[in-house]
């Protein structure tokens, strides 16, 4: 068991190292010099040289990579070139809207997807099933930015139920914060809810045809009891794996949706940082996302393994 | 008295309108303004970012001089000055009873500190070259400052009005990037990164107190999100609205109006004068003849704006309406190319940054040049890549770009400039212009420089387009013309 854990940890660690090299090399292959971006069209060569010295861009690639990794290991990620603010502070500020947004969207996608999928599975082949599944197919194909625009038109500009843009922060009250995140979360959640529902439907149909369901029925359990107490918990296990896949999708989706709703989150931070060649932000934020996804997968794998020991034995 | 009567009438009218209309307009003393880019810190002496100027110019920071709405130099922290006969010593008399937001009084020490800091060897001031001409700043007493220049420099007072020549408090200047401290009518309150900067009225302002109690600058990079916020009333104004295509959305909004103003926008097709075939003036002139600039302006902005003949925008006080030297004439273009030995089918690359006007203009220019036998490969570049390859290394054939700095004809005299233009005749004119401080002489020399550029055609001067400000129809006093990146708010108020 210890061996398995050790192997997993070493594997993930190697992935992180590989990711850090890839991120660093790609960022340095990109054309564009942070100093020219910062100093603009009127910049004089000597000002650019002075800025290079200040930012430490005059040292070699290897030195810069080692300095970055060394800093990361000691908890110092450096400061943003553009804002001259510690990277962790900027990222922490932005996570205050991005994390709740992603959690909200995940929650919504499950709250919509699971019951709908279960309903379609238990009424398999009926008109209800057909209608629901074709609607889902349509919803899945809607791009999130288009959905975001249409919802703003209807709910913000016509009905005035939700603000059209921005995020007031949590210090102005949790209800205001949730209200600002509602439309972006729905825009992110709906395509994912459609996928969740389809997954839930096939998973439940699969579970319902298992022998142990028939056994349970033979033991005298009612249809509802079998569904809720036996079938559902088993059908839910693949959904956990699906959540692990969906979270990175939601993170990338957040970049676009945050832009449409002008929400100051990590997505916008990353986009701006790439456009301005604010290398410390890009490399640390991407590393953090990679680490977050790896950790999330690790946790979900552990939960799945705990819920269904058969999977833990075969998979790793 | 008149004002009191007016207020009474206004109050009466507003009461009456409250009684009749369903949505009365309450007297407001706050304003929320949209800007497209979040500033990289709020210290103009460290970065040329336009959004720093928009937020801070004459709101937080003030300089010895200022530019007024029309671009003329006016006194500010210096209430008067004299200039020595050799044009090298400025004697400034400072405004009295001025305090920085950190409580320090304004004295000559702050002036000396600010100007010498800008010229220091490790300075990254965007206009450091202006300050390196200063040899010394001395303080005869607290209320006067003597600034000595190495060479006479007629634009000095104008350049002192720029944002990066603001006067800073020596004690707090190191932290201006996060917490700006100046002498202006507004105090910095908070900066929620990614969202907004909040300013509040300075109760101890030395000049006329501002009307607005607080102002929020909200960062709205996405034009569609900005238009939604304007329509929903979450934003009151958006100067320099970035997408003309979206302006139509405001046509049916009764509370909003779109105002067409001017700014020093000069779109050019920059040519690499250091590379064949563009090092031949005939080729550059041929390219100018080959492009129908009127049609270009029509396509880019429905004809709103001006076709340029030289590197100066019509809102510049020195602008000269020169005759059109290169009217659209593809036949003449082909002749010139032939005489310069440029074979039909010659391939060139046209690089452009990711901005709407640059993309549209580049595509049309490629089509025009193809008609005279030049095959153009379009190369879209991301902004940092454009800055580094084209602007930084000068590694390009042709590029479409708009220069929006005011009064920047001097870039044609730089030793290192990305389009590699060098002409001793222009250099001579520019040196005489810089040395002179007599307005009439300077204007005449400026016109000669504009003509010289039109003749040499180092770049093809394309067009200048207006600047669109979207704002609530009750706002008064906002700058809709832009001489420099600025949005001074001291005189802005809400009308009933």
């Amino acid at each position: 068991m210890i061996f398995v854990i050790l192997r997993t940890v070493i594997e993930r660690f190697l992935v992180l190292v590989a990711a850090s090299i890839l991120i660093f090399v790609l960022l340095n292959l990109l054309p564009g010099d942070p100093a020219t971006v910062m100093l603009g069209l009127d910049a004089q060569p000597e000002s650019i040289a002075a800025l290079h010295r200040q930012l430490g861009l005059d040292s070699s690639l290897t030195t810069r990579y080692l300095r970055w990794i060394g800093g990361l290991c000691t908890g110092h990620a450096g400061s943003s070139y553009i804002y001259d603010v510690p990277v962790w502070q900027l990222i922490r500020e932005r996570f205050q809207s991005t994390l709740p947004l992603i959690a909200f969207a995940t929650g919504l996608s499950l709250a919509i997807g699971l019951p709908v999928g279960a309903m379609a599975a238990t009424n398999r082949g009926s008109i209800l099933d057909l209608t629901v599944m074709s609607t889902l197919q349509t919803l899945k194909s809607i791009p999130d930015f288009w959905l975001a625009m249409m919802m703003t038109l209807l709910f913000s500009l016509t009905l005035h139920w939700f603000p059209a843009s921005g995020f007031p922060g949590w210090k102005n009250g949790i209800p205001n914060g949730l209200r600002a995140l509602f439309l972006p979360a729905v825009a992110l959640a709906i395509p994912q809810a459609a996928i969740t529902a389809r997954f839930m439907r096939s998973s439940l149909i699969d579970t319902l045809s298992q022998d142990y369901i028939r056994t349970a029925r033979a033991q005298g359990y009612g249809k509802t009891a079998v569904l809720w107490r036996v079938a559902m918990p088993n059908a839910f296990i693949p959904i956990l794996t699906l959540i692990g896949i969906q979270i990175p999708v939601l993170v990338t989706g957040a970049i676009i949706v945050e832009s449409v709703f002008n929400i100051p989150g990590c997505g916008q931070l990353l986009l701006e940082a790439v456009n301005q060649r604010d290398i410390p932000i890009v490399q640390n934020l991407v590393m953090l996302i990679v680490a977050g996804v790896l950790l999330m997968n690790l946790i979900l794998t552990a939960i799945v393994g705990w819920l269904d020991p058969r999977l833990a034995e075969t998979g790793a | 008295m008149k004002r009191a009567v007016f207020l009474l009438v206004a109050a009466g009218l507003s009461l009456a309108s409250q009684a009749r209309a369903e949505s009365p307009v309450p007297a407001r003393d706050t304003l929320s303004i949209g800007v497209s880019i979040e500033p990289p810190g709020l210290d103009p002496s460290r970065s040329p970012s336009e959004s720093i100027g928009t937020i801070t110019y004459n709101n937080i920071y003030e300089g010895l001089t200022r530019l007024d709405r029309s671009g003329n130099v006016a006194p500010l922290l210096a209430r008067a000055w004299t200039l020595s006969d050799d044009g090298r010593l400025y004697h400034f008399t400072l405004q009295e009873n001025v305090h920085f937001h950190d409580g320090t009084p304004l004295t000559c020490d702050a002036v000396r500190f600010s100007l010498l800091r800008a010229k220091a060897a490790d300075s990254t001031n965007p206009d450091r070259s202006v300050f390196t001409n200063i040899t010394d700043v001395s303080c005869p007493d607290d209320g006067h400052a003597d600034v000595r220049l190495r060479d006479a420099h007629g634009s000095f007072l104008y350049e002192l009005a720029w944002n990066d020549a603001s006067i800073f408090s020596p004690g707090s200047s190191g932290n201006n990037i996060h917490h700006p401290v100046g002498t202006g009518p507004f105090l910095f309150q908070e900066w929620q990164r990614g969202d907004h900067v909040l300013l509040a009225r300075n109760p101890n302002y030395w000049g006329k107190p501002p009307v607005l109690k607080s102002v929020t600058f909200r960062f709205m990079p996405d034009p569609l999100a900005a238009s939604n916020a304007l329509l929903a009333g979450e934003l009151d104004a958006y100067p320099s609205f970035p997408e003309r295509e979206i302006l139509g959305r405001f046509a049916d909004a009764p509370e909003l109006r779109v105002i067409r103003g001017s700014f020093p926008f000069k779109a050019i097709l920059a040519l690499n004068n250091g590379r064949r075939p563009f090092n031949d003036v005939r080729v550059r002139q041929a390219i100018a003849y080959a492009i129908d600039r009127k049609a270009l302006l029509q396509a880019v902005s429905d004809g709103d704006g001006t076709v340029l003949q030289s590197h100066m925008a019509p809102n510049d006080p020195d602008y000269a309406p020169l005759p059109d030297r290169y009217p659209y004439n593809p036949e003449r273009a082909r002749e010139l190319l032939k005489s310069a030995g440029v074979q039909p089918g010659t391939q060139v690359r046209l690089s452009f940054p990711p901005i709407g006007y640059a993309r549209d203009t580049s595509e049309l220019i490629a089509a025009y040049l193809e008609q005279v036998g030049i095959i153009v490969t379009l190369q879209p570049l991301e902004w940092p890549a454009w800055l580094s390859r084209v602007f930084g290394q000068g590694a390009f054939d042709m590029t479409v770009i708009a220069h929006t700095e005011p009064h920047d004809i001097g870039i044609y005299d730089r030793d290192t400039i990305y389009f590699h233009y060098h002409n001793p005749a222009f250099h001579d004119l520019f040196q005489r212009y810089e040395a002179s401080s007599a307005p009439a002489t300077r204007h005449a020399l400026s016109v000669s420089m504009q003509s010289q550029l039109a003749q040499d055609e180092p770049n093809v001067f394309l067009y200048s387009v207006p600047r669109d400000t979207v704002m609530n129809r009750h706002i008064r006093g906002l700058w809709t013309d832009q001489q420099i990146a600025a949005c001074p708010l001291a005189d802005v108020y809400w009308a009933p």
Side-chain angles (χ1 to χ4, degrees):
Chain A
M1 189 61 190
I2 292 169
F3 176 71
V4 172
I5 294 175
L6 206 64
R7 198 184 67 180
T8 318
V9 170
I10 290 173
E11 263 175 20
R12 304 287 148 124
F13 178 74
L14 288 179
V15 171
L16 272 181
V17 172
S20 76
I21 295 174
L22 195 66
I23 293 164
F24 187 81
V25 169
L26 282 180
L27 269 177
N28 282 286
L29 280 180
L30 271 183
D33 168 12
T36 57
V37 177
M38 288 165 74
L39 292 177
L41 280 189
D42 251 2
Q44 307 272 334
E46 63 265 33
S47 306
I48 292 181
L51 192 56
H52 274 161
R53 279 193 302 277
Q54 283 177 23
L55 299 178
L57 287 170
D58 50 351
S59 42
S60 75
L61 274 186
T62 330
T63 317
R64 272 150 57 196
Y65 176 75
L66 292 177
R67 200 185 294 149
W68 171 43
I69 294 300
L72 267 187
C73 294
T74 52
H76 300 287
S79 289
S80 149
Y81 288 162
I82 305 279
Y83 298 117
D84 196 17
V85 167
V87 169
W88 290 139
Q89 185 192 329
L90 274 179
I91 292 180
R92 203 171 51 227
E93 282 170 11
R94 301 302 185 97
F95 264 121
Q96 292 184 7
S97 52
T98 299
L99 277 187
L101 175 63
I102 289 174
F104 200 172
T106 311
L108 270 177
S109 128
L110 291 177
I112 301 169
L114 293 183
V116 169
M119 198 165 67
T122 46
N123 297 286
R124 190 180 174 190
S126 71
I127 292 182
L128 182 76
D129 181 24
L130 276 174
T131 323
V132 166
M133 291 324 288
S134 52
T135 314
L136 286 182
Q137 197 59 38
T138 317
L139 284 177
K140 193 169 69 90
S141 331
I142 294 178
D144 37 21
F145 71 89
W146 185 85
L147 193 63
M149 275 157 51
M150 291 304 120
M151 288 198 309
T152 316
L153 270 183
L154 178 62
F155 295 111
S156 303
L157 299 181
T158 313
L159 298 171
H160 302 286
W161 289 354
F162 298 98
S165 67
F167 176 66
W170 297 109
K171 62 175 188 260
N172 291 324
I174 290 176
N176 276 333
L178 287 179
R179 229 164 68 92
L181 291 185
F182 185 74
L183 289 185
V186 172
L188 270 179
I190 287 202
Q192 300 308 317
I195 297 170
T196 310
R198 271 168 40 116
F199 226 80
M200 184 64 194
R201 178 180 178 272
S202 41
S203 173
L204 192 57
I205 288 174
D206 187 47
T207 313
L208 286 173
S209 66
Q210 296 291 326
D211 289 344
Y212 57 79
I213 297 290
R214 209 175 34 192
T215 314
R217 290 291 298 277
Q219 285 175 345
Y221 285 103
K223 205 174 177 181
T224 326
V226 167
L227 181 67
W228 285 103
R229 284 166 50 188
V230 187
M232 281 293 206
N234 283 295
F236 189 67
I237 292 173
I239 300 294
L240 282 176
T241 319
L242 177 70
I243 296 174
I245 299 168
Q246 280 184 337
I247 283 178
V249 178
L250 287 173
V251 173
T252 46
I255 297 178
I256 295 161
V257 168
E258 282 174 5
S259 171
V260 174
F261 286 98
N262 204 53
I263 294 192
C266 279
Q268 283 232 43
L269 181 68
L270 189 59
L271 197 65
E272 279 165 28
V274 170
N275 280 332
Q276 303 185 315
R277 296 292 185 273
D278 199 340
I279 292 172
I281 294 191
V282 181
Q283 58 192 21
N284 289 307
L285 189 51
V286 175
M287 268 309 271
L288 192 67
I289 293 174
V290 172
V293 169
L294 285 179
L295 187 71
M296 202 65 200
N297 271 327
L298 204 63
I299 294 173
L300 286 171
T301 315
I303 296 178
V304 169
W306 175 67
L307 287 176
D308 190 346
R310 288 173 304 174
L311 292 174
E313 281 162 23
T314 51
Chain B
M1 181 62 199
K2 238 179 180 171
R3 196 181 162 86
V5 171
F6 168 78
L7 284 176
L8 266 177
V9 172
L13 279 177
S14 96
L15 274 178
S17 69
Q18 275 184 23
R20 270 182 294 128
E22 277 188 319
S23 56
V25 183
R28 290 180 53 184
D29 55 5
T30 63
L31 192 67
S32 137
I33 297 178
V35 287
S36 59
I37 297 171
E38 176 161 16
L42 290 166
D43 185 348
S45 73
R46 290 182 49 165
S47 159
S49 164
E50 275 208 23
S51 47
I52 299 180
T54 307
I55 296 171
T56 64
Y57 187 76
N58 288 2
N59 293 327
I60 295 177
Y61 301 116
E62 296 177 316
L64 291 174
T65 59
R66 70 181 174 98
L67 292 185
D68 67 11
R69 263 169 215 273
S70 330
N72 299 309
V73 177
L76 194 60
L77 292 181
R79 63 185 158 91
W81 53 82
T82 56
L83 175 60
S84 66
D85 289 339
D86 65 356
R88 290 167 52 203
L89 177 67
Y90 284 86
H91 178 69
F92 292 102
T93 308
L94 303 182
Q95 204 70 246
E96 285 161 11
N97 297 320
V98 179
H99 286 82
F100 287 100
H101 302 157
D102 62 2
T104 327
L106 169 79
T107 62
C108 174
D109 281 341
V111 175
R112 183 171 55 194
F113 165 80
S114 305
L115 297 182
L116 294 184
R117 188 177 78 137
K119 72 166 271 191
D122 61 345
S123 156
T124 50
N125 190 298
D127 290 303
R128 179 165 173 262
S129 56
V130 168
F131 303 98
T132 48
N133 189 28
I134 297 175
T135 53
D136 181 41
V137 182
S138 56
C139 297
D141 58 60
D142 278 354
H144 293 87
D146 288 338
V147 180
R148 195 175 291 279
L149 305 182
R150 190 181 55 231
D151 302 313
H153 184 60
S155 310
F156 190 57
L157 290 172
Y158 179 84
E159 288 160 356
L160 282 182
W162 289 350
N163 212 24
D164 51 21
S166 298
I167 302 302
F168 304 109
S169 171
S172 56
S173 66
N175 198 29
N176 275 342
I177 191 166
H178 307 302
H179 189 110
V181 166
T183 54
F186 288 94
L187 302 168
F188 171 79
Q189 287 297 107
E190 68 165 11
W191 180 358
Q192 193 179 320
R193 258 167 248 281
D195 198 63
H196 69 264
V197 164
L198 178 67
L199 310 184
R201 184 197 289 154
N202 176 4
N204 304 316
Y205 185 54
W206 59 273
K208 196 181 117 206
V211 187
L212 295 172
K213 202 175 78 190
S214 70
V215 180
T216 311
F217 285 94
R218 282 187 63 193
F219 315 129
M220 290 262 166
D222 186 78
L224 201 65
S227 66
N228 286 336
L230 282 160
L231 289 169
E234 294 161 12
L235 265 189
D236 302 315
Y238 201 116
S240 286
F241 197 81
E243 282 282 338
R244 291 182 75 91
E245 286 83 2
I246 297 181
L247 291 177
R249 290 189 78 190
F250 307 119
D252 301 326
E255 285 299 299
L256 295 174
R257 54 183 187 147
V258 179
I259 295 173
R260 200 137 285 180
S262 63
F263 76 131
F265 182 98
K266 297 158 294 259
I268 61 174
L269 171 66
L271 305 171
N272 191 338
N273 288 232
R275 249 185 210 181
R276 276 167 38 86
F278 309 107
N279 54 354
D280 187 330
V281 66
R282 288 170 297 181
V283 175
R284 302 196 299 264
Q285 291 174 334
I287 291 173
Y289 276 120
I291 300 168
D292 186 349
R293 290 171 295 154
K294 281 200 190 89
L296 216 55
L297 184 63
Q298 189 65 41
V300 171
S301 73
D302 293 330
D304 282 333
T306 313
V307 170
L308 293 179
Q309 311 300 339
S310 190
H311 195 92
M312 193 153 301
N315 76 333
D316 194 300
D318 277 338
Y319 173 74
L322 301 173
D324 190 354
R325 223 175 231 272
Y326 310 101
Y328 179 51
N329 188 343
E331 201 46 53
R332 179 93 185 94
R334 275 187 283 263
E335 283 167 27
L336 280 166
L337 287 173
K338 198 172 168 197
S339 72
V342 175
Q343 299 299 323
T346 297
Q347 303 242 356
V348 296
R349 191 184 290 264
L350 170 50
S351 319
F352 59 92
I355 313 172
Y357 73 81
R359 186 193 54 234
D360 298 349
T361 304
S362 299
E363 284 169 358
L364 288 167
I365 285 176
Y368 279 123
L369 293 187
E370 200 159 313
Q371 289 179 357
V372 297
I374 295 178
I375 307 303
V376 177
T377 311
L378 289 171
Q379 182 188 35
L381 289 177
E382 211 198 345
W383 191 234
W386 186 91
L387 278 170
S388 120
R389 274 195 204 154
V390 178
F391 187 74
Q393 301 159 16
F396 73 108
D397 290 339
M398 308 196 289
T399 187
V400 169
I401 186 70
H403 283 256
T404 55
E405 299 77 18
H407 225 68
D408 60 346
I409 201 165
I411 60 173
Y412 289 83
D413 187 47
R414 286 219 184 131
D415 292 338
T416 48
I417 185 68
Y418 68 105
F419 43 77
H420 305 290
Y421 167 74
H422 303 287
N423 181 353
F426 183 87
H427 174 72
D428 179 53
L429 286 170
F430 186 68
Q431 292 309 312
R432 281 161 57 202
Y433 172 83
E434 286 290 86
S436 161
S437 52
T441 318
R442 285 170 63 82
H443 179 72
L445 285 165
S446 172
V447 173
S448 305
M449 287 192 288
Q450 293 171 56
S451 291
Q452 182 71 52
L453 290 184
Q455 187 188 320
D456 291 350
E457 203 70 357
N459 301 314
V460 181
F461 304 105
L462 300 173
Y463 53 78
S464 182
V465 291
R467 165 186 192 256
D468 299 303
T469 297
V470 185
M471 64 179 187
N472 187 293
R473 66 188 177 90
H474 297 284
I475 297 174
R476 301 286 182 275
L478 202 66
W479 281 22
T480 48
D481 292 331
Q482 177 175 291
Q483 296 297 334
I484 53 172
C487 184
L489 294 161
D491 298 328
V492 175
Y493 64 97
W494 286 86

